[in-house]
Amino acid sequence: MPESKLRVAVLADSDTRWKWGALTARRLVPDHQLTGYLLRGRATPTDRQLGEVGVGADRLTEVSCAEFLDGLGRERYDVVVLALVGGAVQAVLHGTRALWPAPAERPVLVTGYVGVVYEKLADGLLLRHGADLVLANSRHDAERFRAVYEGVGADAGAVTETALPFLGGARYVPPAGSGGAAGPAHRVVFAVQPSVPESRADRAYLLERAARHARLHPGREVLIKLRSRPGEHTTHLEEHPYQRLAQRLPGGLPPNCRLVYGNMGEVLDTADLLVTVSSTAALESLHRSVPTAVLTDLGIREALGNHHFLGSGCLASWDELDAGLLPRGDQDWLRAQGVRPAAGDATAGAPSDDADHAPLDDAYAAARERVAALAAEELLPSPDPYYTLTTAPGYLPGILARHRLAPDGTPLPGAVRRAAGESRLRRRLRAHLRGAARGAYRHGVQRVAPLIRRLGEL
């Protein structure tokens, strides 16, 4: 490996994917120079969201897919982490294939998933095929990923088992009760999700149950952990923000129940019980050995994603939590999911003699070695995605066109706007108009679309 720091670029399209991509880069290349790119779109994070994530870069720029590829052809990067939805990953892979159609000195391309993979498994994986490494967050995921690739006759060699890069924090210490036994939970965190459940009625029900739990247990503090403020978007669209539902809640929220923002890791530092429908926060909580409940109130369904937690020991209803249940994760299930309980009061990366509490970086050892070996190669072959104009002639062109790329992966005319010769005022005006358009879109999703839907039901 070169003695100088490797140059790493991360391209992300939302706040959570930026967090995953930047932390993954740290795990794969501990000593690196990081350049960040935010893919321009509906979920481009705000400055507040990026600050909440708490992961910075040496430089951070907002770009389109075509602009990123244009810069990739001119700047020298050793590793590129694609923290994107599947279609965007596919567009970048075909764009890099157009840049380097033959073996060349190009960056190592890495991609993966930001959390639990419970839907669109084949679609998402095949859109990621062609990267040098497709990271799987657990042994369970790695086996599923390889089965999909092998099932279509594609090379599965890129699949590499790792773990979620943001698992960390100290092992949970229960509050002391009488006689030295563990006491009741003092702080309950309900980690909500932007689009699960989807309907207003279901989301209002869950909020009402959280408020009811707070009223039944006045000695507990119930925190409704929100992902974004109204007007902001994350990976998934949120048509019915809990902030607005709370304003309409009969009787309002009790004094010991409140809405909170902030970094999930910091919120978990003081949690005694984590409640969610299917958020990846459950895995963060289980890593710390915090009692964790995956709600069954709305059923155990693929659409909710809580079916992923079958066998986890965490499935529970609000009624059971009201009665005092504090679910504990099944250790065999946790191991299969790549969740290693934190050791003692140390962080996830601290040394340990217990194999079950091995440092998280150990889960990245194979991937780190692979990245280092590929980065040291003088020439790398051209990316070879499964989807081509031969295997998917009715699908691939549409994906590329959405990112202003031609069917051969080259940028469409006018897709790349050169900043040279453009005044600063014009650049600022364009950025302002772009932000206004994005705000109008988000307003339409959260305000106008639900209203039109309700009118249509009259």
Side-chain angles (χ1 to χ4, degrees), residues 155-174:
D155 181 15
V159 177
T160 308
E161 181 182 341
T162 54
L164 287 170
F166 43 77
L167 297 183
R171 188 178 179 86
Y172 171 67
V173 178

Side-chain angles (χ1 to χ4, degrees), residues 299-342:
I300 300 173
R301 298 182 282 145
E302 282 80 358
L304 297 175
N306 52 0
H307 71 291
H308 179 84
F309 292 88
L310 290 169
S312 68
C314 297
L315 295 169
S317 70
W318 271 118
D319 281 350
E320 292 173 302
L321 300 179
D322 290 344
L325 178 66
L326 295 174
R328 301 283 183 171
D330 178 84
Q331 293 304 307
D332 290 336
W333 186 89
L334 291 176
R335 278 190 289 269
Q337 297 299 321
V339 179
R340 308 180 183 195

